[in-house]
């Protein structure tokens, strides 16, 4: 059985949270570098279609990965943590989860192949090499998110962080090598760049083959069903992604010709959303600990750990709101070259919305650990509906978008908070 708490890396030099955060930074930086590299390589008017196709490939890969397989990772991590807490074999659960990843990849691959003549070929400029890269990326995402679920459930966070480092580094180094070939020899085409980016996930999964292996005798209890949990979490995560990103798109559409206001709001929106990048490593660390406490019936430990994380998040979120209020307009102008400074109150309110979203994601992790995935999905459905209604309400588009960013996550937070209170309520005591 894994150690009860893996707060430090195997070398003992850095806390696991630092490794996970740094790995996520490397992975995110590699994505931005890919966009910059292909923009520099395919920079002539005749290559505009190739550049557009590569950017579309980049977006599709990032939609499919977190949008579909992050749910698999959380479902796997929870199930393996629960099995370990009960003293049951973990290997059957890992195998069932791996089978689910393979089947879901087969379905997604078939959908993409069918979608090719129906419009996907136009999105990817008719380049079958980019379709091949997309299929490779989907397969790699299935593999790497499965490995992260297994490693997270066993609290092997050093190896988990390695997948983030390797995925980012593999993409970055391959694209830099192709940039050199394209610059000096003109031999690297769009398909090569697309495949270089797509292979990163598969390379990351292969880097932890030994770490993901579970050595235990065969037999034991039957693993729990993961299909329903995977489906619920996939819907919930997809809706959370929609709620977190659709605001600037709708504002741009509603403002029409006022491109300057739309650009300023979009830049402020991106700035205020930066803290959300910290949520993923927190969830990876928190979920197995909460699951083990829940599996052993230690509701007090669940409440205590959740309270500590929420208190820390509230402190950081409060500082973020103040920072965005005082420095946000200036940072928006300096970092994103916004045509003018946004209103300080607007940036501060967007930062508050991010804090609400962060708290909701923490409560989501608690409910997943408690096996309440259905309630998680219900909360995000209700919150998304509220968000969309407010977002398209008559009035100033920017004001409606800010109100929607507060109302949507706020609604999710209330529903999830009520669910956590009910789940942790002692028998016979009111919530």
């Amino acid at each position: 059985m894994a150690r009860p708490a893996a707060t430090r890396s195997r070398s003992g030099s850095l806390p696991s949270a630092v490794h996970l955060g740094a790995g996520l930074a490397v992975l995110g930086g590699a994505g931005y570098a890919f966009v910059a590299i292909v923009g520099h390589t395919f920079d002539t008017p005749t290559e505009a279609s190739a550049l557009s196709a590569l950017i579309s490939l980049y977006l599709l890969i990032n939609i499919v990965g977190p949008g579909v397989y992050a749910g698999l990772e959380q479902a796997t991590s929870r199930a393996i943590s629960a099995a370990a807490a009960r003293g049951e074999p973990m290997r059957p659960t890992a195998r069932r989860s791996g089978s689910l990843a393979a089947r879901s990849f087969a379905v997604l691959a078939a959908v993409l192949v069918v979608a090719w003549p129906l419009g996907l070929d136009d999105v990817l400029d008719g380049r079958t090499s980019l379709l091949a890269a997309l299929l490779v990326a989907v397969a790699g995402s299935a593999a790497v998110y499965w490995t992260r679920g297994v490693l997270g459930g066993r609290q092997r966070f050093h190896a988990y962080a390695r997948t983030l480092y390797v995925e980012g580094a593999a993409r970055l180094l391959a694209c830099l090598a192709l940039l050199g070939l394209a610059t000096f020899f003109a031999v690297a085409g769009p398909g090569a760049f697309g495949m270089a980016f797509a292979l990163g996930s598969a390379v990351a999964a292969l880097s932890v083959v030994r770490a993901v292996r579970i050595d235990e005798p065969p037999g034991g209890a039957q693993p729990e069903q993961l299909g329903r949990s995977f489906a619920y979490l996939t819907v919930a995560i997809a809706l959370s992604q929609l709620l977190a990103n659709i605001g600037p798109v709708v504002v741009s559409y509603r403002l029409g010709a006022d491109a300057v206001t739309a650009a300023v709001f979009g830049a402020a929106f991106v700035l205020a959303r930066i803290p959300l990048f910290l949520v993923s490593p927190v969830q990876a660390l928190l979920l197995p600990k909460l699951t083990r406490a829940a599996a052993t019936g230690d509701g007090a430990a669940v409440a205590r750990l959740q309270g500590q994380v929420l208190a820390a998040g509230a402190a950081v979120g409060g500082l973020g709101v103040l920072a965005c209020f005082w420095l946000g307009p200036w940072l928006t102008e300096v970092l994103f070259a916004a045509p003018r400074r946004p209103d300080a109150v607007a940036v501060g309110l967007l930062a508050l919305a991010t804090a609400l979203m962060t708290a909701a994601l923490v409560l989501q992790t608690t409910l997943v650990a408690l096996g309440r995935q259905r309630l998680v999905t219900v909360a995000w459905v209700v919150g998304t509906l509220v968000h969309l209604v407010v977002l398209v309400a008559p009035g100033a588009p920017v004001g409606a978008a800010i109100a929607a960013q507060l109302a949507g996550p706020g609604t999710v937070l209330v529903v999830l908070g009520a669910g956590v209170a009910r789940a942790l309520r002692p028998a016979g005591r009111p919530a």
Side-chain angles (χ1 to χ4, degrees):
M1 183 180 298
R3 292 175 296 174
T7 58
R8 304 187 72 84
S9 67
R10 181 160 37 183
S11 63
S13 58
L14 286 174
S16 296
V18 174
H19 269 301
L20 292 172
L24 196 63
V26 171
L27 181 58
Y32 286 112
F34 172 78
V35 174
I37 288 171
V38 297
H40 174 80
T41 304
F42 304 97
D43 57 353
T44 65
T46 57
E47 296 171 320
S49 61
L51 176 60
S52 177
L54 283 169
I55 299 300
S56 297
L57 175 68
Y58 166 78
L59 294 173
L60 287 171
I61 289 174
N62 283 287
I63 289 171
V64 171
V68 175
Y69 290 111
L72 175 71
E73 176 190 334
Q74 290 190 17
T76 303
S77 178
R78 193 204 73 82
I80 287 182
S81 296
R86 294 190 293 262
E88 298 172 357
M90 295 177 286
R91 184 187 295 174
T93 299
R95 286 182 174 176
R96 186 181 290 274
S97 175
S99 174
L100 187 60
R103 295 198 304 270
S104 63
F105 163 69
V107 172
L108 283 173
V111 170
L112 292 173
V113 171
V114 171
W116 178 255
L118 302 178
L120 183 59
D121 57 338
D122 293 330
V123 174
L124 298 180
D125 195 33
R127 300 177 185 271
T128 54
S129 59
L130 296 185
L131 174 62
L134 181 57
L135 292 172
V136 168
V138 173
S141 294
V144 79
Y145 278 93
W146 172 75
T147 62
R148 287 170 185 162
V150 174
L151 294 171
R154 299 173 65 201
Q155 301 193 47
R156 301 288 300 274
F157 296 120
H158 181 79
Y160 186 111
R162 190 193 313 161
T163 66
L164 300 172
Y165 287 122
V166 171
E167 186 173 7
R171 288 173 170 175
L172 181 60
L173 294 176
C175 289
L176 287 175
L178 288 174
L179 175 62
L181 291 174
T183 302
F184 296 105
F185 303 102
V187 295
F193 279 95
M195 189 60 72
F197 187 79
L199 283 169
S201 298
V203 173
L206 291 174
S207 71
V208 291
V209 167
R210 293 183 62 185
V212 82
R213 185 175 58 194
I214 301 175
D215 295 320
E216 60 186 16
Q222 288 294 318
E224 65 178 83
Q225 296 292 332
L226 293 173
R228 183 173 298 179
S229 176
F230 175 34
Y232 280 137
L233 290 175
T234 298
V235 173
I237 291 171
L239 291 176
S240 69
Q241 292 291 322
L242 176 69
L243 193 151
N245 295 290
I246 198 174
V249 178
V250 175
V251 167
S252 179
Y253 173 78
R254 294 186 67 186
L255 285 174
D258 191 359
V260 172
T261 301
V264 171
F265 176 76
F269 190 93
V270 172
L271 177 69
R273 278 289 181 265
I274 289 177
L276 284 179
F277 285 103
L278 302 175
V279 174
S280 180
V282 171
Q283 287 182 307
L285 287 165
L286 187 61
L287 180 56
K289 299 178 186 298
L290 288 172
T291 300
R292 295 191 180 210
T296 56
D298 193 352
V302 174
R304 182 172 61 253
L305 182 57
Q306 174 194 257
Q308 291 170 350
V309 175
L310 285 175
V316 173
L319 292 175
V321 171
L322 292 176
C324 281
F325 178 80
W326 291 109
L327 300 175
W330 173 75
L331 288 172
T332 302
E333 190 176 44
V334 172
L335 296 179
F336 300 104
R340 67 168 183 260
R341 292 190 178 186
D343 179 70
V345 174
V347 184
L349 290 175
L350 288 174
L352 176 59
T354 298
L356 294 176
M357 175 78 81
T358 302
L361 291 172
V362 171
L363 293 180
Q364 170 182 313
T365 306
T366 302
L367 285 172
V368 170
L370 294 168
R372 308 296 177 90
Q373 293 88 333
R374 180 179 178 181
L375 178 58
V376 170
T377 303
V378 170
W380 284 107
V381 168
V382 174
T384 301
L385 290 175
V386 171
H387 177 82
L388 293 176
V389 169
V390 178
L391 184 61
V392 300
V398 171
I402 293 174
Q405 292 305 129
L406 293 167
T411 301
V412 176
L413 185 61
V414 169
V415 176
L416 293 180
V420 170
R422 188 178 300 109
L424 295 179
R425 179 182 59 196
R429 181 180 299 177

